[in-house]
Amino acid sequence: MDKNLTLGIRQFYDGHYKSAIDTLLPLGREGNKEACVYLGKIGLISEQYETGKKWLEKVRGYPEADFHLSVIYYEGLGVEINKLKALSYLKAAASNDYVEAQLAAGALIQELNKESPNDFHLGDAANYFLSASKLGNLDAMYLFSKLCFFNVIAKDIVNNPFQH
């Protein structure tokens, strides 16, 4: 990992955002994906939503960027709330084994199912929870088990998910 990237990330986690910006900005301008994500996160933290969104959109398709773009649209940070667009970004990040996105996609599908059960199926939510479970996430295992326990999705699961 680039020495400046490591320094910028450390500055971010230490809460020294101005220093992190100074360190990460040249890397972000060169297209370094991680630098762009951290610059985007700094934008969101500092409520400079348009700037944060710009940096994240620069690396759209990178799982962590897609995850944070979903937050922007779910929360309406500088944009109109758009849960469908948020779900689209979550699905993109989840398809790259980004566990946080898999959990959030499952949860959002559950939420949307309450509003529109014919359009959003709990079996899809279970599949995201199952994917995160297979990557070792205990929260996902619990959420998947909870859906199964209440027999909400049993009919939607074709194969036994606990088989290899």
Side-chain angles (χ1 to χ4, degrees), residues 95-107:
S95 71
N96 288 297
D97 291 338
Y98 195 77
V99 173
E100 291 85 353
Q102 292 169 334
L103 282 171

Side-chain angles (χ1 to χ4, degrees), residues 32-61:
N32 182 292
K33 292 177 181 181
E34 287 187 69
C36 290
V37 167
Y38 279 92
L39 290 165
K41 288 163 68 169
I42 292 169
L44 298 181
I45 289 167
S46 62
E47 298 182 3
Q48 301 294 317
Y49 302 128
E50 188 59 38
T51 300
K53 183 173 167 259
K54 177 190 81 158
W55 283 107
L56 294 168
E57 285 178 336
K58 185 172 181 170
V59 291
R60 188 181 353 213

Side-chain angles (χ1 to χ4, degrees), residues 122-133:
L122 293 177
D124 295 333
N127 286 330
Y128 283 109
F129 295 145
L130 180 60
S131 295
S133 295

Side-chain angles (χ1 to χ4, degrees), residues 79-141:
V79 298
E80 290 289 321
I81 290 175
N82 186 332
K83 292 181 182 179
L84 295 179
K85 197 165 193 172
L87 183 59
S88 175
Y89 280 116
L90 287 172
K91 286 180 175 182
S95 71
N96 288 297
D97 291 338
Y98 195 77
V99 173
E100 291 85 353
Q102 292 169 334
L103 282 171
L108 182 52
I109 290 169
Q110 283 183 305
E111 179 183 328
L112 293 170
N113 171 268
K114 292 176 184 172
E115 299 168 13
S116 183
N118 291 329
D119 296 325
F120 300 96
H121 304 282
L122 293 177
D124 295 333
N127 286 330
Y128 283 109
F129 295 145
L130 180 60
S131 295
S133 295
K134 288 179 178 179
L135 294 171
N137 187 281
L138 295 177
D139 291 331
M141 289 178 194

